Amino acid sequence: MSNKSHQRNDDKDNKFNKIAIAVTVVLVVVLIIGGYFIFFHNKDNKINEEEKDVAYTSLIKQISDGEIEKIEMTVGSTTVKVKEKNNEEEKEVIIPSTQAFVELIQEKVAEGNNIELIQNPENIILRIGETLLGLVPTLMLVALFVLVFKMQGLGDKGKVYDATTAKEKVKFDDVAGLDEEKQEMIEIVQFLKEPEKFVEMGAKVPKGVLLYGKPGTGKTLIAKAIAGEANVPFISMSGSEFIEMFAGLGASRVRKLFEKARKVAPCIVFIDEIDAIGSRRTNASGAESENNQTLNQLLVEMDGFEKDEGIIILAATNRPEMLDKALLRPGRFDRQITINVPDKKGREAILKIHSKGKKVAEDVRLDNLAEDTAGLTGAELANILNEAAIIATIEKHEAITNEDLDEAFKKVTVGLQKTSRIYSEKDKRITAFHEAGHAVVSKYLPTQDPVKEISIIPRGMAGGYTMNRTTEDKNYISKTEMEERLVVLMAGRAAEKIVINDISTGASNDFEVATKIAKDMVTVYGMSDVVGTISINVERDPYELQLLGDKYADVIGAEVKILLDAAYARAQKIILDHMDKLNAVAETLLEKETIGEKEFDEIFK
Ligand code: ADP
Ligand code: ZN
């Protein structure tokens, strides 16, 4: 979320608060005034029901008996003043109906009864008091609605950030790095500009795009940039907003959101934290079934609109594994883009963008800062520059200096260092050799796919990664290929040991994968001569192994161990034979953090 949209939100909240306060004040005033008049001017409430009936019946009798001299009535009031013939004091009596009462007296007068009937005009003040008090329930209802609306945000949540009117449109140029991702988005921008053309052509454009990535990596930014480039409105809502507060409203909010989107289409609908509503459906009740309803409504809406309506839904999450599979089906979020933490080049670009509009001293080295900030997100980098500007102002510097940046860097990363989110030089070095080990060894093993990308930028749980390009669809994997895969997996640890003579925990996943492969080779694929052709699935049935006896289990264990040890030895040998290549790859990684296929192959020429 950028600061700007927060600002807009605050304004809206302020307005709501003012309305709520005004309504409360009016209500209290009305209650006091109304109560005052009713209490002091209307004594109806002093006479209880029973007395009322008795008094009225006896009054009628008195009238018939000619004991009443004068009756004084007030329009709009059911209390009448009665003067008896032989009594100086007047008494008050409540009558059930003024109309019937007046008719009764007129009748008696016509019969020759001598009653003076005075009809006073309406008591305006009393009337006002009563009216005001009568309004109280209505006003209270109104106030309640205002409150509910405010809490629910039914009124105007799903802020429309209208790119066509926004002063500063976010453009692709404001998004640093992420070049490939932007490239993928261009097609969506084109579609939003001219949806009809795409439909005419019969082209298939995704309805929904899921953006995976840690918070602060620029998912919202890139979504806004798409809207900015296409010059269409940007409607955003956070998944957590759908499910807060009262039950049953999540689904209706989803409906509202899409209603709004249809009105302003073509447009971008951005749902942040989609995992809050899109996590796997359960058959539970309560909060979870609420979640289900919201998710179902989202699916209904997504299936409901046609391609030519020009609505593209972008959704962001950093927990893709939580999402309900139904969201990923064709016609829904059928495209997924991972937004990674920026590499060194990306970080430098982000720092450059955010230093625009700030006074920065000429000798400031953003490239140095980029080098020291491996693992930080765009938001954190932007934050460093902001902090630096604050520090420079306090220090009364002409412009932001290297020292200010240093200070800001420390401030922003203090918390991060503890959680080892930020890389030390030593960590980086170990990771570089580890990954270089995987990559170099796989290069010398003919069955292994070519290396596509190597990086020492953390991704998920891993400190770095080596990606291989899959060359062909395979139906079968040969024994040789599996053995060589084991060698590649062992190469990370082997390289660490050889170069640094120390080992890290970074290889645990490699071993896990390798052990699984080795086990399968022995117990599922019959690739061990000693164990023979047999299938044992211990996961399916733990007793299967016991059936065969302890000796057999020992043999299987030994065979798995032999496969793994042999693979480790081979990895070691390949690395020692090609130390120059290992060093070259590791050094390049330390410098650039991520290297692609071309650069990697270059080293081997
Ligand atoms: P996310 O949606 O992934 O949590 P945001 O898009 O809200 O992250 O990013 C927060 C802020 O960080 C942005 O507003 C921007 O200032 C900065 N930022 C993040 N990534 C980038 C980037 N690639 N280029 C420029 N600024 C970025
Ligand atoms: Zn590894």
Side-chain angles (χ1 to χ4, degrees):
M1 272 298 147
S2 76
N3 291 333
K4 189 168 295 146
S5 66
H6 274 305
Q7 191 64 50
R8 289 168 61 93
N9 237 354
D10 289 350
D11 288 350
K12 204 164 286 160
D13 280 354
N14 276 339
K15 207 181 279 169
F16 267 121
N17 279 335
K18 275 180 195 153
I19 293 173
I21 290 169
V23 169
T24 315
V25 168
V26 168
L27 227 114
V28 169
V29 169
V30 164
L31 258 170
I32 291 171
I33 297 178
Y36 176 85
F37 282 119
I38 296 301
F39 193 76
F40 288 99
H41 290 265
N42 190 349
K43 299 192 178 85
D44 291 8
N45 48 0
K46 286 183 189 165
I47 306 162
N48 73 36
E49 285 294 313
E50 226 167 283
E51 285 175 7
K52 199 164 89 180
D53 282 349
V54 174
Y56 181 63
T57 329
S58 66
L59 175 64
I60 300 298
K61 191 168 179 301
Q62 282 182 307
I63 292 172
S64 303
D65 295 350
E67 291 170 12
I68 303 299
E69 181 186 318
K70 187 172 88 179
I71 291 178
E72 200 176 333
M73 300 177 71
T74 305
V75 176
S77 169
T78 50
T79 308
V80 295
K81 279 185 190 158
V82 179
K83 165 102 182 48
E84 288 157 321
K85 282 198 171 129
N86 38 20
N87 193 347
E88 274 311 300
E89 246 171 66
E90 290 185 347
K91 66 173 181 182
E92 284 186 348
V93 178
I94 294 176
I95 53 172
S97 149
T98 44
Q99 179 71 25
F101 187 67
V102 169
E103 273 167 20
L104 179 82
I105 293 168
Q106 281 166 347
E107 208 175 287
K108 294 290 164 195
V109 172
E111 279 172 15
N113 222 325
N114 193 15
I115 301 171
E116 187 187 352
L117 180 66
I118 301 167
Q119 283 182 289
N120 291 325
E122 201 169 5
N123 184 338
I124 293 294
I125 293 173
L126 188 61
R127 189 67 181 188
I128 290 172
E130 271 176 346
T131 312
L132 285 180
L133 207 65
L135 277 176
V136 168
T138 317
L139 281 170
M140 274 166 84
L141 262 176
V142 169
L144 197 76
F145 267 109
V146 169
L147 272 173
V148 169
F149 266 72
K150 182 179 153 50
M151 285 190 290
Q152 286 302 316
L154 278 180
D156 206 18
K157 273 275 167 62
K159 319 118 203 172
V160 179
Y161 165 91
D162 191 344
T164 47
T165 56
K167 267 186 214 128
E168 288 166 72
K169 286 180 217 173
V170 179
K171 289 297 191 72
F172 277 155
D173 280 347
D174 300 313
V175 185
L178 302 178
D179 292 331
E180 267 173 52
E181 289 81 356
K182 283 194 263 185
Q183 204 56 41
E184 281 199 60
M185 304 291 194
I186 283 176
E187 169 189 324
I188 293 173
V189 172
Q190 296 294 342
F191 168 72
L192 287 168
K193 277 185 177 160
E194 301 170 297
E196 322 81 37
K197 271 201 179 158
F198 280 73
V199 175
E200 243 169 63
M201 199 63 76
K204 201 169 161 268
V205 178
K207 266 186 187 177
V209 181
L210 263 181
L211 303 173
Y212 296 145
K214 289 209 305 192
T217 44
K219 298 182 293 295
T220 312
L221 190 71
I222 204 165
K224 276 189 183 162
I226 294 170
E229 291 284 340
N231 214 18
V232 300
F234 177 82
I235 302 174
S236 82
M237 194 141 166
S238 169
S240 57
E241 285 174 45
F242 283 110
I243 49 164
E244 65 196 12
M245 294 297 204
F246 300 114
L249 280 167
S252 96
R253 279 195 190 180
V254 171
R255 213 176 307 121
K256 287 241 155 73
L257 183 74
F258 280 87
E259 252 169 45
K260 188 183 246 171
R262 284 205 175 86
K263 264 185 217 140
V264 297
C267 67
I268 292 272
V269 173
F270 180 70
I271 305 175
D272 205 359
E273 298 176 60
I274 190 159
D275 43 283
I277 42 170
S279 50
R280 284 192 201 108
R281 276 171 292 185
T282 55
N283 40 22
S285 56
E288 299 219 294
S289 83
E290 157 78 4
N291 211 345
N292 294 350
Q293 281 180 25
T294 311
L295 176 57
N296 286 338
Q297 186 64 38
L298 178 66
L299 297 176
V300 166
E301 295 289 347
M302 285 195 79
D303 294 343
F305 70 79
E306 298 299 323
K307 288 237 148 70
D308 57 354
E309 286 185 69
I311 300 172
I312 298 268
I313 307 160
L314 287 147
T317 180
N318 63 334
R319 297 191 292 179
E321 73 285 350
M322 294 277 297
L323 292 181
D324 196 297
K325 291 268 180 303
L327 278 170
L328 308 178
R329 295 225 180 94
R332 293 168 183 169
F333 291 102
D334 42 15
R335 189 165 306 178
Q336 289 116 45
I337 297 177
T338 305
I339 310 276
N340 284 317
V341 174
D343 62 6
K344 191 177 153 203
K345 236 176 68 200
R347 291 198 300 273
E348 198 175 336
I350 292 171
L351 288 168
K352 265 206 191 105
I353 281 188
H354 286 276
S355 64
K356 266 187 214 149
K358 290 189 174 66
K359 271 198 228 160
V360 180
E362 262 171 38
D363 65 339
V364 157
R365 296 286 306 267
L366 290 180
D367 53 338
N368 282 352
L369 182 57
E371 193 154 340
D372 296 337
T373 43
L376 293 197
T377 62
E380 285 157 343
L381 293 168
N383 201 8
I384 290 181
L385 278 173
N386 211 35
E387 284 292 336
I390 292 170
I391 293 167
T393 314
I394 293 169
E395 298 286 324
K396 298 197 169 63
H397 292 162
E398 292 271 291
I400 298 168
T401 65
N402 277 316
E403 290 72 47
D404 297 335
L405 280 172
D406 237 29
E407 195 68 24
F409 167 72
K410 277 186 209 135
K411 207 168 156 187
V412 170
T413 55
V414 160
L416 303 177
Q417 236 136 15
K418 278 199 205 107
T419 54
S420 73
R421 275 273 319 282
I422 188 141
Y423 256 10
S424 70
E425 274 308 307
K426 188 174 164 240
D427 291 343
K428 257 168 121 173
R429 217 174 120 73
I430 291 181
T431 310
F433 278 98
H434 179 106
E435 297 305 331
H438 285 309
V440 169
V441 167
S442 89
K443 181 84 183 169
Y444 289 103
L445 294 169
T447 62
Q448 299 302 296
D449 291 328
V451 170
K452 189 179 153 205
E453 193 175 288
I454 324 165
S455 175
I456 56 170
I457 293 292
R459 179 186 269 191
M461 291 294 283
Y465 59 90
T466 301
M467 247 166 19
N468 292 80
R469 188 152 52 82
T470 23
T471 38
E472 51 190 309
D473 285 333
K474 294 171 202 161
N475 290 319
Y476 302 107
I477 307 175
S478 70
K479 184 182 173 189
T480 313
E481 189 173 348
M482 283 176 117
E483 280 171 343
E484 294 189 350
R485 180 85 201 117
L486 293 181
V487 179
V488 172
L489 284 163
M490 292 296 164
R493 163 62 67 85
E496 282 180 45
K497 181 89 181 93
I498 291 167
V499 178
I500 302 169
N501 196 23
D502 191 4
I503 48 180
S504 75
T505 54
S508 66
N509 183 252
D510 296 340
F511 296 154
E512 197 184 318
V513 176
T515 308
K516 167 99 176 65
I517 293 175
K519 255 193 324 215
D520 283 354
M521 286 173 75
V522 176
T523 60
V524 179
Y525 301 115
M527 287 175 176
S528 153
D529 293 336
V530 187
V531 174
T533 47
I534 189 167
S535 170
I536 306 158
N537 191 337
V538 191
E539 268 121 57
R540 190 182 56 210
D541 182 1
Y543 295 107
E544 221 166 287
L545 202 55
Q546 281 183 11
L547 217 64
L548 298 167
D550 285 350
K551 272 203 195 119
Y552 208 78
D554 289 346
V555 175
I556 290 172
E559 277 294 281
V560 171
K561 181 89 171 64
I562 288 168
L563 278 172
L564 294 174
D565 286 350
Y568 189 85
R570 269 181 82 186
Q572 249 178 335
K573 175 150 193 330
I574 295 172
I575 289 169
L576 288 170
D577 286 348
H578 303 282
M579 275 308 282
D580 53 331
K581 301 289 190 279
L582 184 83
N583 282 323
V585 173
E587 292 309 328
T588 317
L589 270 174
L590 280 169
E591 187 195 329
K592 298 193 170 148
E593 291 180 0
T594 303
I595 50 182
E597 190 168 357
K598 263 199 208 130
E599 266 172 308
F600 178 72
D601 287 341
E602 202 63 34
I603 293 170
F604 290 84
K605 271 179 192 156

